[in-house]
């Protein structure tokens, strides 16, 4: 019988040690059940050498009493774990964040900082936005905002270039690519309001040179088309086949009838723009349209001589 009780004692101790890793309350309960089992078998309580008495276990009264475990009253009481009452019932650490809030009362991301970490809003691809807001180093010389165009008249009254945001993202890649050759992009025309297209047609009603707005408008009115050239990083004009709005045969993409340097620069521009997702127009070396199309914008009008915008209802 003593051997049987000794085996039970060893088993109960092992069970208590194992259960302490699974939960303090569960360990105490398991040890209590083992204690009751031994007492029922021996018919004694508190006898030296028994689970309830002092003995080899270091004099502990029971698994919830003081003894070899460092004098803890129960698995959740003070003892070997440094005097904590229980792991689950520990009080707040008392630490506070920079705003004086208790860390125990705030979410982890709130406790780090009270600063606003919201990200900037990215426009949708079809949003018409100012080009230089997203490509600060691109150059702009809108020819139809001056008299320096084939009509000799000012066609619209704003000087900032606008394009669809999705188109601008592609143009930004082209700008970075031409920089590797010591060049920058310069915009001659970008988004063209429908009202401006009608004005062009009134001045020059020839579909060879001007898109008829009564039959679908110009691709410029979609906000995904740009007339563009190359300049050197110091601002000097790069040699190109012709100037803007030149309607001679030299303006096309044949390049065999222009100077070698001009042909080389035009081919460089065409290659980079195509690699960045643009389609070149065969009749004008400066004209490129985004491969992604957008509907004609009939309401948007850039503010006159300003970088802000307004939308007519």
């Amino acid at each position: 019988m003593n051997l049987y009780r000794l085996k039970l004692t060893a088993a109960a101790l092992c069970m208590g040690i194992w259960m302490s890793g699974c939960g303090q309350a569960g360990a105490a309960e398991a040890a209590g059940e083992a204690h009751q089992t031994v007492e029922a078998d021996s018919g004694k309580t508190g006898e030296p050498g028994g689970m309830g008495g002092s003995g080899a276990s270091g004099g502990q009264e029971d698994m919830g009493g003081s003894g070899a475990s460092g004098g803890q009253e129960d698995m959740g009481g003070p003892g070997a774990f440094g005097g904590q009452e229980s792991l689950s019932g520990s009080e707040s650490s008392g630490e506070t964040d920079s705003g004086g809030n208790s860390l125990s009362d705030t979410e982890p991301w709130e406790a780090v900082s009270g600063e606003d970490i919201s990200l900037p809003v990215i426009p949708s691809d079809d949003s018409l936005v100012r080009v230089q807001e997203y490509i600060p180093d691109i150059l702009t010389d809108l020819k139809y905002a001056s008299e320096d165009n084939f009509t000799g008249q000012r066609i619209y009254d704003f000087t900032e270039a606008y394009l669809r945001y999705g188109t601008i993202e592609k143009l930004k890649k082209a700008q970075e690519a031409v920089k590797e050759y010591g060049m920058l992009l310069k915009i001659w025309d970008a988004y063209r309001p429908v009202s401006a297209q009608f004005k062009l047609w009134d001045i020059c009603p020839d579909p060879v040179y001007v898109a008829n707005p009564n039959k679908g408008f110009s691709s410029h009115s979609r906000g995904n088309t740009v007339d563009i050239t190359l300049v050197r990083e110091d601002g000097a004009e790069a040699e190109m086949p012709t100037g803007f709005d030149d309607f001679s045969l030299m303006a096309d993409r044949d390049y065999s009838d222009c100077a070698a340097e001009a042909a080389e620069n035009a081919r460089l521009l065409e290659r980079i723009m195509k690699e960045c997702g643009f389609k070149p127009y065969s009749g004008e070396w400066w004209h490129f349209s985004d491969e992604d199309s957008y509907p004609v914008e009939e309401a948007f009008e850039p503010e006159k001589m300003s970088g802000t915008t307004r939308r007519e209802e």
Side-chain angles (χ1 to χ4, degrees):
M1 180 62 70
N2 288 337
L3 179 60
Y4 177 70
R5 291 174 58 192
L6 182 59
K7 289 182 178 181
L8 283 179
T9 300
L13 285 173
C14 291
M15 182 184 299
I17 293 171
W18 178 79
M19 289 299 289
S20 67
C22 301
Q24 300 151 351
E29 181 179 353
E33 291 175 357
H35 182 194
Q36 292 174 4
T37 301
V38 174
E39 287 183 340
D41 180 68
S42 63
K44 300 177 182 180
T45 60
E47 182 179 353
M51 286 295 294
S54 61
S57 298
Q60 61 186 32
E61 294 178 1
D62 54 42
M63 288 299 290
S66 60
S69 298
Q72 59 188 33
E73 293 180 2
D74 55 53
M75 292 299 291
F81 294 100
Q84 293 180 331
E85 289 184 5
S86 69
L87 293 179
S88 61
S90 60
E91 295 294 328
S92 171
S93 64
E95 296 178 353
T96 59
D97 62 15
S98 58
N101 300 312
S102 172
L103 294 183
S104 62
D105 298 329
T106 57
E107 297 292 346
W109 55 86
E110 294 175 339
V112 173
S113 173
E115 297 179 359
D116 182 9
I117 57 173
S118 58
L119 298 176
V121 177
I122 298 177
S124 59
D125 283 353
D126 62 350
S127 297
L128 275 166
V129 292
R130 190 168 65 92
V131 176
Q132 286 186 315
E133 185 173 346
Y134 299 94
I135 316 177
D137 56 354
I138 200 168
L139 302 177
T140 303
D141 178 19
L142 299 185
K143 295 299 186 180
Y144 292 125
S146 69
E147 297 176 356
D148 186 18
N149 59 71
F150 80 99
T151 69
Q153 301 181 40
R154 177 176 290 172
I155 303 302
Y156 45 66
D157 295 322
F158 57 89
T159 57
E160 299 280 4
Y162 288 82
L163 289 170
R164 303 284 185 175
Y165 179 73
T167 303
I168 290 176
E169 285 294 287
K170 295 180 180 181
L171 195 61
K172 183 189 298 184
K173 294 178 181 178
Q175 174 80 329
E176 294 304 312
V178 300
K179 281 183 180 180
E180 297 180 7
Y181 296 88
M183 302 279 194
L184 294 172
L185 298 176
K186 179 193 279 189
I187 298 175
W188 279 338
D189 193 23
Y191 167 70
R192 188 186 304 162
V194 169
S195 59
Q197 192 64 30
F198 272 103
K199 187 173 182 178
L200 277 174
W201 182 254
D202 289 342
I203 296 171
C204 183
D206 186 340
V208 174
Y209 304 108
V210 178
N212 185 349
N214 298 300
K215 295 183 177 181
F217 304 104
S218 164
S219 59
H220 280 281
S221 296
R222 299 179 184 274
N224 73 333
T225 298
V226 61
D227 293 336
I228 205 160
T229 188
L230 290 174
V231 299
R232 306 199 179 279
E233 287 185 329
D234 60 3
E237 298 284 343
E239 185 176 355
M240 304 302 286
T242 69
F244 180 64
D245 271 357
D246 185 308
F247 299 119
S248 70
L249 293 177
M250 292 180 64
D252 64 22
R253 297 186 182 276
D254 176 39
Y255 306 140
S256 63
D257 50 0
C258 61
E261 183 177 351
E264 182 181 354
N265 290 336
R267 288 191 181 99
L268 173 65
L269 177 61
E270 180 177 339
R271 176 177 62 80
I272 288 176
M273 292 295 283
K274 289 171 70 174
E275 288 174 353
C276 293
F278 289 88
K279 296 180 296 184
Y281 170 52
S282 62
E284 298 172 350
W285 62 262
W286 58 82
H287 182 110
F288 298 89
S289 294
D290 188 347
E291 291 178 348
D292 294 320
S293 185
Y294 298 90
V296 171
E297 175 56 62
E298 299 187 57
F300 180 84
E301 290 279 349
E303 195 72 31
K304 294 180 180 180
M305 300 304 176
S306 172
T308 59
T309 63
R310 61 185 172 85
R311 179 176 292 275
E312 296 181 349
E313 299 297 332

